[in-house]
Amino acid sequence: MYSSVCLRVYYLLNKNSYLLQRSTIQLLRFPFSYFLMPVYWFALSFVTAINWPRAAFVFFIIHVLLYPSSNGYNSYMDRDTDSIGGIANPMQPTRQLFIATVIMDVVAVASALFISPLFSAGVVIYIICSRLYSYRNIRLKKYPILGYLVVILNQGAVIFYIIYHGSGEYMPTQVPWQGLLASSFLIGGFYPITQIYQHKSDAKDGVKTISMLLGKRGTFIFCAGMYAVAFSILFIYYNIQKQIGSFLVLQIFFVPVIIYFLRWLLQVWKDETYADFKHTMRMNWLAGTCTNLAFITLIILKYWQT
């Protein structure tokens, strides 16, 4: 029975063969999950007692199923011909990509039920919001402010909440408000930068992003402000917790990001052609790596001291 179901799934993915197409694998954009991974480690750094097996399962659901499915659905709707996040030359999507995203969503929701109904509900909320963001007949991404708010709340607060809940030993339902706010502001400072090189392609598609609304120079200023708010919230939290040393650790890891950000800002200020795919991806990889390492370090230090 199980084997026949699996064969049927593969058949739906590709009627001509039992293999995933290259375009499907590419457009699911698994590596892009790395850029969103800091929220996972950030949430874990807030958890008092981590259930590591469950935390690993949470990681799998979010980064292997939820994020790639959302990426794939967005690519299926957009059918980009220019560079997109993590891909310089995107292939054109096929029907297989859409079916793959549906299957991944179903598996994600079903798997989430093994953690808790609340966690599964959070996964459903994320899926609905990401679909409304991309779906052609609704397309929240057409609206710069509304679309932006949906993204930062979804990838920030919602994801932080379900990670904190699902990974905690006693599965808490009360979540620190500082974590919810800071995660949203961190995503809020990251997301517009990912759009800065896509102004022309978005305009052709009838989309007006927050970065287009702000302009290329304005995007840098806005993102710097969002990060400043995020770190102000974190300072308040760590100060209350009498863990100001943890805040200082974060600042050390962010020094390379700040240096690159300021250098790139000056380049764009003189010549806006520097706001291109190459520089954006360098910024994403640097920021993702430093932020991931920062929060992983905080987790290690936290458990080293206990």
Side-chain angles (χ1 to χ4, degrees):
M1 177 66 180
Y2 177 76
S3 59
S4 64
V5 171
C6 289
L7 287 173
R8 179 60 180 167
V9 168
Y10 278 117
Y11 178 73
L12 286 172
L13 287 173
N14 191 343
K15 293 182 179 181
N16 298 319
S17 73
Y18 293 110
L19 297 175
L20 285 172
Q21 297 167 358
R22 285 181 59 206
S23 61
T24 297
I25 296 172
Q26 184 202 54
L27 296 174
L28 288 172
R29 286 187 278 164
F30 287 99
F32 196 79
S33 295
Y34 182 75
F35 304 140
L36 300 175
M37 197 182 296
V39 177
Y40 175 82
W41 300 116
F42 177 53
L44 280 194
S45 73
F46 270 64
V47 178
T48 304
I50 300 173
N51 182 306
W52 288 104
R54 205 183 316 121
F57 193 31
V58 167
F59 181 92
F60 172 81
I61 292 171
I62 292 174
H63 289 86
V64 180
L65 296 174
L66 203 58
Y67 286 157
S69 173
S70 178
N71 294 335
Y73 186 83
N74 186 64
S75 290
Y76 182 76
M77 287 292 155
D78 286 359
R79 300 184 176 275
D80 298 286
T81 55
D82 297 318
S83 302
I84 56 176
I87 304 176
N89 300 297
M91 300 178 183
Q92 283 302 293
T94 66
R95 180 70 175 174
Q96 186 192 78
L97 176 62
F98 173 75
I99 296 172
T101 63
V102 172
I103 292 172
M104 291 170 76
D105 284 343
V106 171
V107 174
V109 173
S111 300
L113 285 171
F114 286 96
I115 295 178
S116 79
L118 182 58
F119 183 88
S120 187
V123 170
V124 171
I125 290 172
Y126 185 93
I127 292 170
I128 291 173
C129 289
S130 67
R131 296 306 180 267
L132 293 176
Y133 183 78
S134 302
Y135 180 53
R136 282 283 172 182
N137 291 341
I138 297 175
R139 208 143 171 84
L140 295 180
K141 69 187 302 181
K142 291 190 302 184
Y143 311 103
I145 297 176
L146 178 59
Y148 174 72
L149 290 175
V150 168
V151 169
I152 68 172
L153 291 174
N154 209 31
Q155 294 183 350
V158 172
I159 290 296
F160 182 95
Y161 185 94
I162 62 175
I163 293 170
Y164 188 93
H165 164 71
S167 301
E169 185 66 49
Y170 305 105
M171 305 190 74
T173 55
Q174 299 296 317
V175 178
W177 65 267
Q178 296 95 333
L180 294 173
L181 271 181
S183 59
S184 295
F185 276 101
L186 286 171
I187 292 294
F190 163 78
Y191 189 65
I193 284 291
T194 67
Q195 302 171 322
I196 200 168
Y197 66 93
Q198 294 178 306
H199 290 186
K200 289 184 179 179
S201 59
D202 283 332
K204 289 179 184 177
D205 196 30
V207 171
K208 189 169 186 178
T209 63
I210 188 72
S211 180
M212 291 172 66
L213 185 66
L214 295 166
K216 293 182 179 180
R217 294 180 179 180
T219 296
F220 280 92
I221 297 172
F222 180 79
C223 289
M226 294 296 283
Y227 272 115
V229 173
F231 278 104
S232 297
I233 295 170
L234 289 177
F235 175 79
I236 294 171
Y237 172 79
Y238 288 122
N239 191 41
I240 293 173
Q241 299 296 318
K242 301 186 185 306
Q243 298 174 357
I244 203 66
S246 296
F247 182 77
L248 295 176
V249 169
L250 285 180
Q251 304 315 299
I252 293 171
F253 276 96
F254 266 84
V255 168
V257 179
I258 294 171
I259 292 173
Y260 183 88
F261 181 87
L262 292 175
R263 180 173 175 271
W264 187 25
L265 182 152
L266 292 174
Q267 289 176 321
V268 173
W269 213 265
K270 295 176 181 177
D271 183 355
E272 290 192 350
T273 60
Y274 278 94
D276 56 14
F277 175 79
K278 181 180 70 174
H279 287 86
T280 302
M281 287 303 103
R282 285 178 181 173
M283 180 69 196
N284 288 349
W285 280 109
L286 180 62
T289 299
C290 290
T291 312
N292 282 326
L293 289 175
F295 292 126
I296 291 172
T297 300
L298 291 186
I299 295 169
I300 293 172
L301 290 175
K302 181 178 181 179
Y303 279 84
W304 184 271
Q305 296 167 359
T306 57

